[in-house]
Amino acid sequence: MQRARRLAPIAVVAAVGIIALTGCRAQPGAAAYVGDRQITENQVTDLIDELRAKPAPAAAAGAPEVKPPTRTFVVSVLVLGDVCDRFTKAENLQAKEQAPVDQVAQQFGVAPETEFAKRAAGLFTCLSAVPPGEPVTPTPTELLALGKVAKAAGAIEPTVSDQAAGDQLNGEQLQSALGNRKVLADAVARFDVTVNPRYRPLEFPILSFQGGPAAVSVPLGEGDTGAVADRS
């Protein structure tokens, strides 16, 4: 497993129209709120349109194909980026490293001059300032679910039981990721994140299988409402 830099592609589900946010902050055209700041659907669309207008440089021969970010992932970068900025300013934390835009762009399969590449690099730079959480021991239920994901991703032989597969992954890396998830989840709760139902459940991966799905993700805002989700 490696630190996540992107979400695995998810099947496209068409959404009809824009679903307004629930509650007192409901506004047509809002993708999410972080505190009193609105992230609009138009902002998300502008980033997506630029990614399409400025394709990434051709990958080197033999390099694995990298699909560009989904709209939902763009929203997750904007939301967590805002949360991280607020958290580090409130706690007077300084970034420990500067994420190179060109490397981040290559990881996501986008052009480095795009605003999304800059926002994503800014997020990873900001996350370097967040202190790691105390390691957390996964529950048996979490290990069972992780084992299933690992087998589906081809990270562990399919003949291994789901529980045994999860037990194989229960080490320092996983427990550290779970601790970091708690720190980030507490920050998200602190700054009052509300997400348009079309993007729920919105998550950002912090640990993933090589070239595959997320192993550990931090939830952003409310959970799934049962409404149709937009993963395009």
Side-chain angles (χ1 to χ4, degrees):
M1 292 190 293
Q2 64 174 5
R3 274 191 72 136
R5 294 299 191 191
R6 60 184 295 275
L7 282 172
I10 304 174
V12 174
V13 179
V16 180
I18 294 176
I19 306 172
L21 295 171
T22 58
C24 61
R25 295 197 293 181
Q27 290 289 335
Y33 285 92
V34 180
D36 58 358
R37 176 176 176 257
Q38 181 185 123
I39 297 172
T40 70
E41 293 280 23
N42 285 340
Q43 289 174 309
V44 179
T45 297
D46 287 345
L47 295 179
I48 294 291
D49 287 347
E50 185 185 28
L51 291 177
R52 292 170 177 164
K54 299 177 180 178
E65 180 185 3
V66 179
K67 293 187 178 182
T70 65
R71 185 180 183 93
T72 297
F73 187 64
V74 170
V75 175
S76 74
V77 168
L78 296 179
V79 169
L80 188 57
D82 197 321
V83 169
C84 187
D85 285 343
R86 291 169 184 254
F87 179 74
T88 52
K89 287 176 182 176
E91 300 296 326
N92 196 27
L93 300 171
Q94 301 298 320
K96 297 180 178 62
E97 61 182 45
Q98 187 77 28
V101 176
D102 57 342
Q103 292 183 20
V104 172
Q106 183 178 19
Q107 192 76 28
F108 287 120
V110 302
E113 65 270 20
T114 58
E115 182 64 21
F116 172 79
K118 297 171 186 175
R119 292 290 192 98
L123 169 59
F124 292 126
T125 297
C126 182
L127 289 175
S128 74
V130 178
E134 292 294 324
V136 172
T137 301
T139 66
T141 300
E142 289 174 327
L143 287 177
L144 183 65
L146 183 59
K148 292 179 180 179
V149 174
K151 290 168 61 178
I156 292 180
E157 292 294 326
T159 55
V160 178
S161 71
D162 294 341
Q163 191 64 61
D167 290 340
Q168 288 184 30
L169 299 169
N170 186 12
E172 180 180 350
Q173 189 178 34
L174 175 62
Q175 294 179 17
S176 295
L178 292 174
N180 293 339
R181 180 178 69 180
K182 184 179 186 308
V183 171
L184 293 175
D186 289 346
V188 170
R190 176 176 172 180
F191 294 106
D192 190 20
V193 174
T194 304
V195 177
N196 189 312
R198 73 183 291 190
Y199 301 116
R200 300 180 196 170
L202 188 66
E203 300 177 330
F204 187 87
I206 55 178
L207 187 69
S208 70
F209 295 101
Q210 180 71 40
V216 178
S217 298
V218 58
L220 305 173
E222 307 88 341
D224 193 359
T225 62
V228 174
D230 179 11
R231 299 294 176 184
S232 60

